[in-house]
PDB file of all heavy atoms in Angstrom:
ATOM      1  N   VAL A 121     -58.012 -32.143 -23.062  1.00 97.00           N
ATOM      2  CA  VAL A 121     -57.434 -32.546 -21.873  1.00 97.00           C
ATOM      3  C   VAL A 121     -57.784 -31.604 -20.752  1.00 97.00           C
ATOM      4  O   VAL A 121     -57.492 -30.373 -20.828  1.00 97.00           O
ATOM      5  CB  VAL A 121     -55.913 -32.673 -21.999  1.00 97.00           C
ATOM      6  CG1 VAL A 121     -55.232 -33.197 -20.757  1.00 97.00           C
ATOM      7  CG2 VAL A 121     -55.532 -33.562 -23.234  1.00 97.00           C
ATOM      8  N   VAL A 122     -58.377 -32.116 -19.667  1.00 95.00           N
ATOM      9  CA  VAL A 122     -58.687 -31.305 -18.510  1.00 95.00           C
ATOM     10  C   VAL A 122     -58.106 -32.035 -17.305  1.00 95.00           C
ATOM     11  O   VAL A 122     -58.394 -33.234 -17.029  1.00 95.00           O
ATOM     12  CB  VAL A 122     -60.240 -31.150 -18.366  1.00 95.00           C
ATOM     13  CG1 VAL A 122     -60.588 -30.382 -17.084  1.00 95.00           C
ATOM     14  CG2 VAL A 122     -60.784 -30.383 -19.624  1.00 95.00           C
ATOM     15  N   ASP A 123     -57.326 -31.365 -16.523  1.00 92.00           N
ATOM     16  CA  ASP A 123     -56.736 -31.915 -15.304  1.00 92.00           C
ATOM     17  C   ASP A 123     -55.991 -33.208 -15.634  1.00 92.00           C
ATOM     18  O   ASP A 123     -55.912 -34.175 -14.860  1.00 92.00           O
ATOM     19  CB  ASP A 123     -57.838 -32.209 -14.244  1.00 92.00           C
ATOM     20  CG  ASP A 123     -58.496 -30.966 -13.731  1.00 92.00           C
ATOM     21  OD1 ASP A 123     -57.913 -29.891 -13.761  1.00 92.00           O
ATOM     22  OD2 ASP A 123     -59.647 -31.168 -13.300  1.00 92.00           O
ATOM     23  N   GLY A 124     -55.304 -33.154 -16.734  1.00 94.00           N
ATOM     24  CA  GLY A 124     -54.462 -34.245 -17.201  1.00 94.00           C
ATOM     25  C   GLY A 124     -55.215 -35.494 -17.724  1.00 94.00           C
ATOM     26  O   GLY A 124     -54.586 -36.551 -17.982  1.00 94.00           O
ATOM     27  N   VAL A 125     -56.525 -35.360 -17.928  1.00 95.00           N
ATOM     28  CA  VAL A 125     -57.339 -36.418 -18.416  1.00 95.00           C
ATOM     29  C   VAL A 125     -57.997 -36.096 -19.713  1.00 95.00           C
ATOM     30  O   VAL A 125     -58.494 -34.976 -19.899  1.00 95.00           O
ATOM     31  CB  VAL A 125     -58.435 -36.832 -17.293  1.00 95.00           C
ATOM     32  CG1 VAL A 125     -59.348 -37.857 -17.859  1.00 95.00           C
ATOM     33  CG2 VAL A 125     -57.824 -37.217 -16.034  1.00 95.00           C
ATOM     34  N   VAL A 126     -57.934 -36.956 -20.710  1.00 97.00           N
ATOM     35  CA  VAL A 126     -58.580 -36.801 -21.986  1.00 97.00           C
ATOM     36  C   VAL A 126     -60.104 -36.979 -21.780  1.00 97.00           C
ATOM     37  O   VAL A 126     -60.525 -38.108 -21.425  1.00 97.00           O
ATOM     38  CB  VAL A 126     -58.087 -37.749 -23.070  1.00 97.00           C
ATOM     39  CG1 VAL A 126     -58.817 -37.595 -24.409  1.00 97.00           C
ATOM     40  CG2 VAL A 126     -56.540 -37.463 -23.260  1.00 97.00           C
ATOM     41  N   ILE A 127     -60.884 -35.922 -21.955  1.00 98.00           N
ATOM     42  CA  ILE A 127     -62.301 -35.980 -21.800  1.00 98.00           C
ATOM     43  C   ILE A 127     -63.088 -35.989 -23.108  1.00 98.00           C
ATOM     44  O   ILE A 127     -64.268 -36.009 -23.120  1.00 98.00           O
ATOM     45  CB  ILE A 127     -62.859 -34.892 -20.829  1.00 98.00           C
ATOM     46  CG1 ILE A 127     -62.686 -33.496 -21.480  1.00 98.00           C
ATOM     47  CG2 ILE A 127     -62.177 -35.027 -19.464  1.00 98.00           C
ATOM     48  CD1 ILE A 127     -63.486 -32.421 -20.790  1.00 98.00           C
ATOM     49  N   GLY A 128     -62.406 -35.873 -24.191  1.00 98.00           N
ATOM     50  CA  GLY A 128     -63.015 -35.875 -25.541  1.00 98.00           C
ATOM     51  C   GLY A 128     -61.956 -35.482 -26.548  1.00 98.00           C
ATOM     52  O   GLY A 128     -60.775 -35.359 -26.264  1.00 98.00           O
ATOM     53  N   ALA A 129     -62.501 -35.183 -27.742  1.00 98.00           N
ATOM     54  CA  ALA A 129     -61.572 -34.708 -28.803  1.00 98.00           C
ATOM     55  C   ALA A 129     -62.390 -33.945 -29.837  1.00 98.00           C
ATOM     56  O   ALA A 129     -63.588 -34.142 -29.967  1.00 98.00           O
ATOM     57  CB  ALA A 129     -60.805 -35.858 -29.438  1.00 98.00           C
ATOM     58  N   VAL A 130     -61.601 -33.183 -30.600  1.00 98.00           N
ATOM     59  CA  VAL A 130     -62.222 -32.465 -31.784  1.00 98.00           C
ATOM     60  C   VAL A 130     -61.476 -32.984 -33.075  1.00 98.00           C
ATOM     61  O   VAL A 130     -60.269 -33.068 -32.981  1.00 98.00           O
ATOM     62  CB  VAL A 130     -62.043 -30.968 -31.676  1.00 98.00           C
ATOM     63  CG1 VAL A 130     -62.593 -30.293 -32.881  1.00 98.00           C
ATOM     64  CG2 VAL A 130     -62.684 -30.435 -30.400  1.00 98.00           C
ATOM     65  N   GLY A 131     -62.206 -33.271 -34.098  1.00 98.00           N
ATOM     66  CA  GLY A 131     -61.722 -33.690 -35.378  1.00 98.00           C
ATOM     67  C   GLY A 131     -62.204 -32.765 -36.425  1.00 98.00           C
ATOM     68  O   GLY A 131     -63.345 -32.386 -36.450  1.00 98.00           O
ATOM     69  N   VAL A 132     -61.270 -32.282 -37.292  1.00 98.00           N
ATOM     70  CA  VAL A 132     -61.680 -31.367 -38.369  1.00 98.00           C
ATOM     71  C   VAL A 132     -61.079 -31.979 -39.717  1.00 98.00           C
ATOM     72  O   VAL A 132     -59.967 -32.484 -39.692  1.00 98.00           O
ATOM     73  CB  VAL A 132     -61.158 -29.991 -38.144  1.00 98.00           C
ATOM     74  CG1 VAL A 132     -61.442 -29.046 -39.283  1.00 98.00           C
ATOM     75  CG2 VAL A 132     -61.708 -29.455 -36.772  1.00 98.00           C
ATOM     76  N   SER A 133     -61.887 -31.806 -40.768  1.00 98.00           N
ATOM     77  CA  SER A 133     -61.397 -32.328 -42.108  1.00 98.00           C
ATOM     78  C   SER A 133     -61.976 -31.392 -43.081  1.00 98.00           C
ATOM     79  O   SER A 133     -63.083 -30.873 -42.976  1.00 98.00           O
ATOM     80  CB  SER A 133     -61.880 -33.754 -42.292  1.00 98.00           C
ATOM     81  OG  SER A 133     -61.481 -34.217 -43.557  1.00 98.00           O
ATOM     82  N   GLY A 134     -61.172 -31.174 -44.151  1.00 98.00           N
ATOM     83  CA  GLY A 134     -61.687 -30.416 -45.242  1.00 98.00           C
ATOM     84  C   GLY A 134     -60.642 -29.535 -45.937  1.00 98.00           C
ATOM     85  O   GLY A 134     -60.762 -29.171 -47.123  1.00 98.00           O
ATOM     86  N   VAL A 135     -59.529 -29.182 -45.215  1.00 98.00           N
ATOM     87  CA  VAL A 135     -58.503 -28.378 -45.786  1.00 98.00           C
ATOM     88  C   VAL A 135     -57.178 -29.058 -45.482  1.00 98.00           C
ATOM     89  O   VAL A 135     -57.173 -30.190 -45.135  1.00 98.00           O
ATOM     90  CB  VAL A 135     -58.557 -26.883 -45.282  1.00 98.00           C
ATOM     91  CG1 VAL A 135     -59.803 -26.161 -45.832  1.00 98.00           C
ATOM     92  CG2 VAL A 135     -58.533 -26.840 -43.729  1.00 98.00           C
ATOM     93  N   LYS A 136     -56.078 -28.292 -45.651  1.00 98.00           N
ATOM     94  CA  LYS A 136     -54.777 -28.859 -45.364  1.00 98.00           C
ATOM     95  C   LYS A 136     -54.746 -29.326 -43.951  1.00 98.00           C
ATOM     96  O   LYS A 136     -55.323 -28.719 -43.038  1.00 98.00           O
ATOM     97  CB  LYS A 136     -53.775 -27.685 -45.641  1.00 98.00           C
ATOM     98  CG  LYS A 136     -52.311 -28.156 -45.550  1.00 98.00           C
ATOM     99  CD  LYS A 136     -51.312 -27.136 -45.947  1.00 98.00           C
ATOM    100  CE  LYS A 136     -51.353 -25.975 -44.945  1.00 98.00           C
ATOM    101  NZ  LYS A 136     -50.409 -24.938 -45.268  1.00 98.00           N
ATOM    102  N   ALA A 137     -54.097 -30.492 -43.641  1.00 97.00           N
ATOM    103  CA  ALA A 137     -54.152 -31.111 -42.443  1.00 97.00           C
ATOM    104  C   ALA A 137     -53.728 -30.192 -41.278  1.00 97.00           C
ATOM    105  O   ALA A 137     -54.384 -30.202 -40.167  1.00 97.00           O
ATOM    106  CB  ALA A 137     -53.254 -32.346 -42.419  1.00 97.00           C
ATOM    107  N   SER A 138     -52.652 -29.416 -41.456  1.00 98.00           N
ATOM    108  CA  SER A 138     -52.246 -28.523 -40.423  1.00 98.00           C
ATOM    109  C   SER A 138     -53.267 -27.458 -40.123  1.00 98.00           C
ATOM    110  O   SER A 138     -53.417 -26.990 -38.975  1.00 98.00           O
ATOM    111  CB  SER A 138     -50.892 -27.892 -40.714  1.00 98.00           C
ATOM    112  OG  SER A 138     -50.921 -27.116 -41.910  1.00 98.00           O
ATOM    113  N   ASP A 139     -54.044 -27.057 -41.171  1.00 98.00           N
ATOM    114  CA  ASP A 139     -55.137 -26.114 -40.924  1.00 98.00           C
ATOM    115  C   ASP A 139     -56.313 -26.732 -40.201  1.00 98.00           C
ATOM    116  O   ASP A 139     -56.956 -26.120 -39.371  1.00 98.00           O
ATOM    117  CB  ASP A 139     -55.613 -25.490 -42.282  1.00 98.00           C
ATOM    118  CG  ASP A 139     -54.487 -24.756 -42.987  1.00 98.00           C
ATOM    119  OD1 ASP A 139     -53.557 -24.263 -42.258  1.00 98.00           O
ATOM    120  OD2 ASP A 139     -54.536 -24.573 -44.199  1.00 98.00           O
ATOM    121  N   ASP A 140     -56.581 -28.022 -40.521  1.00 98.00           N
ATOM    122  CA  ASP A 140     -57.629 -28.783 -39.791  1.00 98.00           C
ATOM    123  C   ASP A 140     -57.280 -28.772 -38.307  1.00 98.00           C
ATOM    124  O   ASP A 140     -58.106 -28.455 -37.485  1.00 98.00           O
ATOM    125  CB  ASP A 140     -57.648 -30.258 -40.304  1.00 98.00           C
ATOM    126  CG  ASP A 140     -58.326 -30.493 -41.640  1.00 98.00           C
ATOM    127  OD1 ASP A 140     -58.976 -29.567 -42.171  1.00 98.00           O
ATOM    128  OD2 ASP A 140     -58.101 -31.500 -42.214  1.00 98.00           O
ATOM    129  N   ALA A 141     -56.014 -29.059 -38.042  1.00 98.00           N
ATOM    130  CA  ALA A 141     -55.594 -29.079 -36.599  1.00 98.00           C
ATOM    131  C   ALA A 141     -55.711 -27.707 -35.920  1.00 98.00           C
ATOM    132  O   ALA A 141     -56.093 -27.566 -34.754  1.00 98.00           O
ATOM    133  CB  ALA A 141     -54.162 -29.618 -36.502  1.00 98.00           C
TER     134      ALA A 141
END
Side-chain angles (χ1 to χ4, degrees):
V121 181
V122 176
D123 298 332
V125 177
V126 176
I127 64 164
V130 178
V132 177
S133 178
V135 289
K136 187 171 71 174
S138 60
D139 297 337
D140 288 342

